[in-house]
Amino acid sequence: MASETTSLVGKSEDEHLKRLKGYQWWAFFVTFGGYFMAHFSRKCYSTVKQQLQDEAGYSSLILSAMDTTFMATYALGNIISGKLGDTLNPTTVLAIGLFGSGACLFLINVSLWLDFVGFSELLGNIFILAVYFLFGFFQSTGGPVGTAVMGNWFCDKESIKNRGLIFGLWTCHQYCGDITAALCTAWVLGIGLPYWWALLIPSLTNVGWAFLTMRLIPDPADVGIITDEVRIRM
Protein backbone atom coordinates (compact mmCIF):
# COMPACT_ATOMS: atom_id res chain seq x y z
CA MET A 1 0.00 0.00 0.00
CA ALA A 2 2.81 2.40 0.93
CA SER A 3 4.61 1.77 -2.37
CA GLU A 4 1.41 2.41 -4.33
CA THR A 5 0.84 5.69 -2.48
CA THR A 6 4.43 6.75 -3.10
CA SER A 7 4.04 5.91 -6.78
CA LEU A 8 0.85 7.98 -7.06
CA VAL A 9 2.45 10.94 -5.27
CA GLY A 10 5.50 10.74 -7.52
CA LYS A 11 3.33 10.62 -10.62
CA SER A 12 1.34 13.61 -9.39
CA GLU A 13 4.51 15.63 -8.74
CA ASP A 14 5.88 14.76 -12.18
CA GLU A 15 2.64 15.97 -13.76
CA HIS A 16 2.77 19.25 -11.84
CA LEU A 17 6.39 19.75 -12.87
CA LYS A 18 5.51 19.05 -16.50
CA ARG A 19 2.73 21.66 -16.38
CA LEU A 20 5.10 24.14 -14.73
CA LYS A 21 7.75 23.67 -17.41
CA GLY A 22 5.14 23.86 -20.15
CA TYR A 23 3.99 27.33 -19.09
CA GLN A 24 7.42 28.82 -18.44
CA TRP A 25 8.03 29.83 -22.05
CA TRP A 26 4.75 31.77 -22.11
CA ALA A 27 5.53 33.55 -18.83
CA PHE A 28 8.96 34.43 -20.23
CA PHE A 29 7.48 35.68 -23.51
CA VAL A 30 4.76 37.86 -21.98
CA THR A 31 6.90 39.44 -19.25
CA PHE A 32 9.80 39.92 -21.68
CA GLY A 33 7.44 41.61 -24.12
CA GLY A 34 5.95 43.80 -21.41
CA TYR A 35 9.32 45.17 -20.35
CA PHE A 36 10.34 45.41 -24.00
CA MET A 37 7.30 47.66 -24.52
CA ALA A 38 8.29 49.77 -21.53
CA HIS A 39 11.70 50.50 -23.05
CA PHE A 40 10.23 50.91 -26.52
CA SER A 41 7.84 53.58 -25.28
CA ARG A 42 10.44 55.17 -23.00
CA LYS A 43 13.21 55.45 -25.59
CA CYS A 44 11.02 56.72 -28.43
CA TYR A 45 10.72 60.08 -26.71
CA SER A 46 14.50 60.44 -26.62
CA THR A 47 14.76 59.76 -30.36
CA VAL A 48 12.49 62.71 -31.27
CA LYS A 49 13.83 65.31 -28.83
CA GLN A 50 15.20 67.41 -31.67
CA GLN A 51 11.80 67.47 -33.38
CA LEU A 52 10.09 68.36 -30.09
CA GLN A 53 12.34 71.40 -29.91
CA ASP A 54 12.38 72.44 -33.57
CA GLU A 55 8.80 71.63 -34.58
CA ALA A 56 6.74 71.44 -31.37
CA GLY A 57 8.42 74.41 -29.71
CA TYR A 58 9.50 72.85 -26.42
CA SER A 59 12.62 74.35 -24.87
CA SER A 60 15.67 72.33 -23.92
CA LEU A 61 14.95 73.27 -20.29
CA ILE A 62 11.51 71.66 -20.41
CA LEU A 63 12.87 68.54 -22.09
CA SER A 64 15.48 68.25 -19.33
CA ALA A 65 12.76 68.77 -16.73
CA MET A 66 10.78 65.94 -18.35
CA ASP A 67 13.75 63.60 -17.92
CA THR A 68 14.21 64.61 -14.29
CA THR A 69 10.50 64.28 -13.51
CA PHE A 70 10.36 60.88 -15.15
CA MET A 71 13.37 59.48 -13.32
CA ALA A 72 12.08 60.73 -9.96
CA THR A 73 8.65 59.13 -10.32
CA TYR A 74 10.15 56.03 -11.92
CA ALA A 75 12.47 55.51 -8.94
CA LEU A 76 9.69 56.02 -6.43
CA GLY A 77 7.30 53.98 -8.55
CA ASN A 78 9.57 50.92 -8.45
CA ILE A 79 9.02 50.71 -4.69
CA ILE A 80 5.28 51.36 -4.93
CA SER A 81 4.80 48.98 -7.85
CA GLY A 82 6.72 46.25 -6.07
CA LYS A 83 4.43 46.54 -3.06
CA LEU A 84 1.33 46.63 -5.26
CA GLY A 85 2.53 43.52 -7.04
CA ASP A 86 2.84 41.76 -3.68
CA THR A 87 -0.60 42.94 -2.54
CA LEU A 88 -2.72 42.81 -5.69
CA ASN A 89 -2.84 40.53 -8.71
CA PRO A 90 0.59 41.00 -10.39
CA THR A 91 -0.93 40.56 -13.84
CA THR A 92 -3.33 43.44 -13.18
CA VAL A 93 -0.48 45.69 -12.04
CA LEU A 94 1.56 44.87 -15.15
CA ALA A 95 -1.43 45.50 -17.43
CA ILE A 96 -2.20 48.83 -15.75
CA GLY A 97 1.40 49.88 -16.31
CA LEU A 98 1.15 49.10 -20.02
CA PHE A 99 -2.26 50.71 -20.44
CA GLY A 100 -1.07 53.79 -18.57
CA SER A 101 2.16 54.08 -20.56
CA GLY A 102 0.22 53.86 -23.82
CA ALA A 103 -2.28 56.46 -22.59
CA CYS A 104 0.49 58.87 -21.57
CA LEU A 105 2.16 58.70 -24.97
CA PHE A 106 -1.20 59.18 -26.64
CA LEU A 107 -1.84 62.29 -24.51
CA ILE A 108 1.52 63.69 -25.60
CA ASN A 109 0.42 63.15 -29.18
CA VAL A 110 -2.83 65.00 -28.45
CA SER A 111 -0.83 67.95 -27.13
CA LEU A 112 1.23 67.92 -30.34
CA TRP A 113 -1.78 67.61 -32.65
CA LEU A 114 -3.60 70.48 -30.91
CA ASP A 115 -0.41 72.52 -30.50
CA PHE A 116 -0.76 73.21 -26.80
CA VAL A 117 2.53 75.11 -26.75
CA GLY A 118 1.38 77.36 -29.61
CA PHE A 119 -1.85 78.11 -27.75
CA SER A 120 -0.11 78.71 -24.43
CA GLU A 121 3.50 77.91 -23.66
CA LEU A 122 2.70 77.59 -19.96
CA LEU A 123 -0.18 75.20 -20.65
CA GLY A 124 1.94 73.09 -22.99
CA ASN A 125 4.81 72.87 -20.52
CA ILE A 126 2.65 72.03 -17.51
CA PHE A 127 0.68 69.45 -19.48
CA ILE A 128 3.67 67.52 -20.81
CA LEU A 129 5.42 67.59 -17.41
CA ALA A 130 2.26 66.29 -15.72
CA VAL A 131 1.95 63.50 -18.27
CA TYR A 132 5.59 62.52 -17.81
CA PHE A 133 5.10 62.60 -14.04
CA LEU A 134 2.46 59.89 -14.42
CA PHE A 135 4.45 58.12 -17.14
CA GLY A 136 7.25 57.37 -14.67
CA PHE A 137 4.88 55.60 -12.30
CA PHE A 138 3.29 53.52 -15.06
CA GLN A 139 6.70 52.58 -16.46
CA SER A 140 7.89 51.33 -13.09
CA THR A 141 5.62 48.28 -12.98
CA GLY A 142 7.63 46.11 -15.37
CA GLY A 143 10.81 45.71 -13.33
CA PRO A 144 9.76 44.59 -9.85
CA VAL A 145 6.47 42.92 -10.80
CA GLY A 146 7.71 41.25 -13.97
CA THR A 147 10.72 39.88 -12.11
CA ALA A 148 8.46 38.52 -9.37
CA VAL A 149 6.27 36.71 -11.93
CA MET A 150 9.37 35.24 -13.56
CA GLY A 151 10.57 34.06 -10.17
CA ASN A 152 7.22 32.41 -9.50
CA TRP A 153 7.41 30.31 -12.66
CA PHE A 154 11.14 29.61 -12.89
CA CYS A 155 11.38 28.02 -9.47
CA ASP A 156 12.15 24.37 -10.26
CA LYS A 157 15.60 22.91 -9.65
CA GLU A 158 16.65 23.02 -13.31
CA SER A 159 15.62 26.66 -13.66
CA ILE A 160 17.38 27.65 -10.44
CA LYS A 161 20.53 25.94 -11.70
CA ASN A 162 20.34 28.00 -14.91
CA ARG A 163 18.84 31.21 -13.53
CA GLY A 164 21.86 33.30 -14.54
CA LEU A 165 21.36 32.37 -18.17
CA ILE A 166 17.56 32.61 -17.98
CA PHE A 167 17.51 36.07 -16.42
CA GLY A 168 20.45 37.16 -18.55
CA LEU A 169 18.37 36.42 -21.63
CA TRP A 170 15.28 37.96 -20.05
CA THR A 171 16.98 41.27 -19.24
CA CYS A 172 17.82 41.72 -22.91
CA HIS A 173 14.30 43.18 -23.14
CA GLN A 174 15.64 46.65 -22.37
CA TYR A 175 18.23 46.61 -25.14
CA CYS A 176 15.79 45.15 -27.63
CA GLY A 177 13.26 47.83 -26.72
CA ASP A 178 15.80 50.66 -27.01
CA ILE A 179 17.06 49.41 -30.37
CA THR A 180 13.53 48.97 -31.70
CA ALA A 181 12.65 52.54 -30.66
CA ALA A 182 15.62 53.91 -32.59
CA LEU A 183 14.78 51.79 -35.64
CA CYS A 184 11.12 52.78 -35.45
CA THR A 185 11.97 56.49 -35.40
CA ALA A 186 14.44 56.06 -38.25
CA TRP A 187 11.75 54.29 -40.28
CA VAL A 188 9.10 56.92 -39.49
CA LEU A 189 11.35 59.81 -40.47
CA GLY A 190 12.83 57.91 -43.38
CA ILE A 191 9.50 57.40 -45.16
CA GLY A 192 8.41 60.96 -44.53
CA LEU A 193 5.79 60.44 -41.81
CA PRO A 194 5.29 63.14 -39.16
CA TYR A 195 7.65 62.57 -36.25
CA TRP A 196 4.78 62.06 -33.80
CA TRP A 197 4.20 58.65 -35.35
CA ALA A 198 7.32 57.57 -33.44
CA LEU A 199 5.32 58.22 -30.27
CA LEU A 200 1.99 56.91 -31.50
CA ILE A 201 3.27 53.49 -32.60
CA PRO A 202 4.65 52.50 -29.16
CA SER A 203 1.51 53.95 -27.58
CA LEU A 204 -0.64 51.53 -29.55
CA THR A 205 1.67 48.55 -29.08
CA ASN A 206 1.75 49.09 -25.31
CA VAL A 207 -2.03 49.00 -25.14
CA GLY A 208 -2.11 45.90 -27.33
CA TRP A 209 0.40 44.09 -25.11
CA ALA A 210 -1.59 45.08 -22.03
CA PHE A 211 -4.52 43.02 -23.30
CA LEU A 212 -2.18 40.06 -23.80
CA THR A 213 -0.70 40.52 -20.33
CA MET A 214 -4.13 40.34 -18.75
CA ARG A 215 -4.25 36.67 -19.79
CA LEU A 216 -0.97 35.86 -18.03
CA ILE A 217 -1.18 33.59 -14.97
CA PRO A 218 1.09 35.20 -12.35
CA ASP A 219 1.68 32.16 -10.14
CA PRO A 220 1.63 28.38 -10.75
CA ALA A 221 -0.42 27.95 -7.57
CA ASP A 222 -3.23 29.96 -9.17
CA VAL A 223 -3.91 27.07 -11.54
CA GLY A 224 -3.21 24.27 -9.09
CA ILE A 225 0.40 23.60 -10.09
CA ILE A 226 1.99 22.65 -6.79
CA THR A 227 5.60 21.50 -6.92
CA ASP A 228 7.86 21.28 -3.88
CA GLU A 229 9.26 24.73 -4.64
CA VAL A 230 5.79 26.27 -5.03
CA ARG A 231 4.67 24.59 -1.81
CA ILE A 232 7.53 26.24 0.10
CA ARG A 233 6.46 29.67 -1.17
CA MET A 234 2.87 29.00 -0.15
Side-chain angles (χ1 to χ4, degrees):
M1 179 68 70
S3 61
E4 290 181 5
T5 302
T6 302
S7 177
L8 288 173
V9 171
K11 183 177 181 181
S12 176
E13 290 179 353
D14 288 344
E15 180 64 28
H16 282 276
L17 180 60
K18 183 179 179 181
R19 291 174 61 198
L20 178 81
K21 301 294 288 184
Y23 197 83
Q24 284 179 345
W25 72 271
W26 181 248
F28 185 102
F29 174 71
V30 175
T31 54
F32 181 98
Y35 217 163
F36 167 92
M37 291 299 169
H39 279 270
F40 182 25
S41 58
R42 188 184 313 169
K43 187 68 175 180
C44 67
Y45 150 75
S46 300
T47 62
V48 294
K49 272 188 175 182
Q50 193 63 51
Q51 286 78 10
L52 288 172
Q53 279 188 265
D54 297 342
E55 299 184 37
Y58 289 102
S59 67
S60 58
L61 179 62
I62 288 299
L63 296 181
S64 297
M66 287 173 64
D67 291 333
T68 303
T69 299
F70 171 82
M71 292 309 299
T73 56
Y74 180 75
L76 179 61
N78 270 276
I79 301 171
I80 297 173
S81 293
K83 180 59 178 176
L84 288 175
D86 292 336
T87 307
L88 306 175
N89 187 320
T91 296
T92 301
V93 177
L94 289 171
I96 289 173
L98 289 164
F99 278 126
S101 295
C104 285
L105 288 181
F106 186 78
L107 287 174
I108 291 176
N109 270 293
V110 170
S111 71
L112 297 174
W113 297 333
L114 300 181
D115 191 18
F116 280 15
V117 173
F119 176 75
S120 169
E121 184 175 354
L122 180 61
L123 171 64
N125 291 342
I126 291 176
F127 183 84
I128 202 167
L129 285 175
V131 169
Y132 241 64
F133 178 89
L134 296 174
F135 189 54
F137 284 115
F138 287 126
Q139 286 276 293
S140 69
T141 61
V145 185
T147 302
V149 172
M150 279 287 292
N152 289 344
W153 282 101
F154 288 85
C155 62
D156 59 286
K157 292 179 180 178
E158 182 183 357
S159 296
I160 292 174
K161 183 179 179 181
N162 295 292
R163 61 186 172 185
L165 174 61
I166 293 169
F167 279 89
L169 290 170
W170 187 72
T171 52
C172 287
H173 46 53
Q174 55 184 313
Y175 313 114
C176 293
D178 291 347
I179 292 169
T180 302
L183 293 174
C184 177
T185 301
W187 175 75
V188 166
L189 298 179
I191 64 174
L193 288 175
Y195 72 93
W196 48 258
W197 273 99
L199 300 173
L200 183 60
I201 291 173
S203 170
L204 298 176
T205 56
N206 266 253
V207 171
W209 205 266
F211 283 108
L212 184 65
T213 299
M214 290 174 65
R215 301 179 61 85
L216 175 67
I217 300 168
D219 194 304
D222 293 341
V223 286
I225 299 176
I226 310 298
T227 63
D228 290 339
E229 296 79 12
V230 173
R231 190 176 292 110
I232 291 172
R233 196 172 67 250
M234 294 173 65

